[in-house]
Amino acid sequence: MAKPVAIEVYNPNGKYRVVSTKPMPGTRWINLLVDQGCRVEICHLKKTILSVEDIIDLIGDKCDGVIGQLTEDWGETLFSALSKAGGKAFSNMAVGYNNVDVEAANKYGIAVGNTPGVLTETTAELAASLSLAAARRIVEADAFMRGGLYEGWLPHLFVGNLLKGQTVGVIGAGRIGSAYARMMVEGFKMNLIYFDLYQSTRLEKFVTAYGQFLKANGEQPVTWKRASSMEEVLREADLISLHPVLDKTTYHLVNKERLAIMKKEAILVNCSRGPVIDEAALVDHLRENPMFRVGLDVFEEEPFMKPGLADMKNAIVVPHIASASKWTREGMATLAALNVLGRVKGYPIWNDPNRVDPFLNENASPPNASPSIVNSKALGLPVSKL
């Protein structure tokens, strides 16, 4: 069997062979697999993104399951190879699975796992961080200081936007969007306008209650409004954060026409998926509107940025780090490993993939279940009654 170099092996005599295409944070995920009789192989090949051929070499002739990354192309070729090797499961170490052809996985009877329920607060925190950094021009000011350009205080030096009393707009008020909204409303006393196909009753109740608290203490209460269209949010909000899913309906959701209806000094934040923004149109808009600012964690054609974006001083760009807190990344590794382990051992599927705390408690054994299998219904897999 051909193998890439630099493979780290744990429990070489284990009954089940589980491969991880990348080293992952923490050791709990390794220990959980080893304790259940798995031979764990971790690829240390010095390539940021493994090719399909690299992964086929890793799978080899016998492989029970693979833990992979969202940068990998999991389609017909890889699922066919995994099936021939006797594999039952693949899990992304990510909540998203746009890199996975689920129909191909169904064809070969392979379960596809993901890791929701552990990224919510961490992703919302980064969106809030980008919001504040853009509003107060922190990255520009940091570069200015490091460049030795500061000669003393000036009245107009890096004047930015005050968030208090302004309106934050959220497009997509699911778990992450709602968590972000709560942070901005409570942390900066911003008013909220949101657009979602479904009413976010819990979020509305939170803002109402906080507004009543402020009023009782002699402060201006915050308000909320559910917009009837995305355009309404874009027109009215001073700060907009994008939290939609990525599908055919949300591709280039923010385009040239929609950028044009936003306020000239608005701030746009995206920690969801890169292609929801027409990045080329965004570069043009940033160039033509120097007081418009953006904070991006994701990009249309990762790992690349559209020409000109890196030159825009009114853009803050970070390399897809929304989930990059120690607790979250270790939790993602644990959930991905348990997705694969569950299928290898024949465990049922956890009944609520967004409530995964029992799997993350390091002081107790995790439930005998796969935390989140996206194609469980298509494969007819049983659901846990735990």
Side-chain angles (χ1 to χ4, degrees):
M1 177 176 68
K3 283 187 180 180
V5 296
I7 290 181
E8 187 176 14
V9 179
Y10 291 84
N11 192 26
N13 296 319
K15 179 179 179 181
Y16 310 104
R17 181 171 177 258
V18 175
V19 171
S20 177
T21 63
K22 291 287 181 185
M24 299 190 296
T27 58
R28 183 170 182 250
W29 69 274
I30 299 172
N31 295 332
L32 289 170
L33 290 171
V34 167
D35 289 347
Q36 291 291 322
C38 295
R39 171 190 169 105
V40 180
E41 296 187 14
I42 304 171
C43 178
H44 287 264
L45 190 64
K46 294 187 181 299
K47 288 176 68 174
T48 300
I49 301 174
L50 297 188
S51 68
V52 169
E53 291 74 22
D54 293 328
I55 299 172
I56 288 175
D57 286 342
L58 273 174
I59 291 171
D61 300 322
K62 181 188 182 301
C63 182
D64 296 283
V66 177
I67 304 166
Q69 305 299 322
L70 54 79
T71 52
E72 300 159 3
D73 182 12
W74 278 84
E76 174 86 17
T77 303
L78 286 181
F79 285 121
S80 173
L82 184 55
S83 176
K84 288 176 183 176
K88 295 181 179 179
F90 162 78
S91 184
N92 255 2
M93 184 194 147
V95 64
Y97 48 95
N98 300 103
N99 62 310
V100 179
D101 183 344
V102 179
E103 291 301 319
N106 293 342
K107 174 181 174 181
Y108 291 101
I110 294 175
V112 174
N114 69 335
T115 62
V118 72
L119 297 89
T120 301
E121 300 297 327
T122 299
T123 303
E125 282 184 5
L126 185 77
S129 300
L130 290 173
S131 300
L132 187 59
R136 298 304 301 271
R137 303 175 66 182
I138 291 172
V139 175
E140 290 178 78
D142 178 86
F144 182 85
M145 194 74 185
R146 292 175 189 274
L149 302 175
Y150 182 56
E151 297 177 350
W153 187 89
L154 288 170
H156 294 290
L157 189 61
F158 293 109
V159 173
N161 296 3
L162 178 70
L163 296 180
K164 181 182 177 182
Q166 300 298 301
T167 298
V168 59
V170 173
I171 295 174
R175 295 184 305 277
I176 296 172
S178 291
Y180 168 82
R182 292 194 301 270
M183 290 176 187
M184 304 311 293
V185 169
E186 186 175 18
F188 300 100
K189 299 176 183 175
M190 301 187 76
N191 299 309
L192 171 68
I193 180 171
Y194 80 93
F195 175 73
D196 197 288
L197 297 178
Y198 303 95
Q199 184 174 9
S200 184
T201 306
R202 290 181 63 189
L203 178 59
E204 293 172 1
K205 288 180 178 178
F206 174 88
V207 179
T208 298
Y210 186 55
Q212 291 170 346
F213 168 81
L214 291 175
K215 186 175 182 180
N217 285 273
E219 296 188 61
Q220 181 70 27
V222 292
T223 63
W224 64 266
K225 179 167 76 168
R226 183 186 178 195
S228 59
S229 68
M230 192 182 80
E231 285 75 11
E232 186 178 356
V233 176
L234 297 178
R235 288 192 188 95
E236 295 187 16
D238 303 285
L239 163 64
I240 298 103
S241 190
L242 304 175
H243 300 279
V245 298
L246 176 62
D247 57 26
K248 293 179 181 178
T249 68
T250 59
Y251 176 79
H252 282 188
L253 192 69
V254 177
N255 54 22
K256 178 180 179 180
E257 291 73 24
R258 285 174 169 153
L259 286 165
I261 67 175
M262 296 175 67
K263 295 181 179 181
K264 295 295 184 183
E265 295 187 8
I267 298 167
L268 177 65
V269 172
N270 186 18
C271 289
S272 60
R273 294 288 183 268
V276 303
I277 296 179
D278 181 342
E279 206 168 292
L282 177 63
V283 172
D284 291 339
H285 192 76
L286 288 166
R287 187 179 291 115
E288 295 164 6
N289 298 275
M291 295 309 295
F292 183 94
R293 291 190 281 278
V294 66
L296 301 175
D297 179 55
V298 289
F299 305 90
E300 190 170 350
E301 296 177 358
E302 288 188 26
F304 307 106
M305 293 186 288
K306 291 293 186 182
L309 182 58
D311 301 323
M312 297 293 105
K313 291 184 178 180
N314 47 344
I316 299 173
V317 291
V318 295
H320 207 145
I321 58 170
S323 66
S325 69
K326 183 175 183 293
W327 181 85
T328 295
R329 288 282 172 91
E330 289 185 0
M332 292 166 67
T334 294
L335 294 175
L338 291 175
N339 281 332
V340 171
L341 178 65
R343 292 309 308 132
V344 168
K345 301 285 284 188
Y347 296 152
I349 311 305
W350 189 241
N351 56 32
D352 187 348
N354 295 310
R355 297 182 182 273
V356 293
D357 287 349
F359 296 95
L360 304 176
N361 182 359
E362 296 187 11
N363 298 316
S365 297
N368 290 333
S370 289
S372 178
I373 300 296
V374 301
N375 58 342
S376 59
K377 289 184 179 179
L379 297 181
L381 302 178
V383 176
S384 170
K385 295 184 177 163
L386 295 173

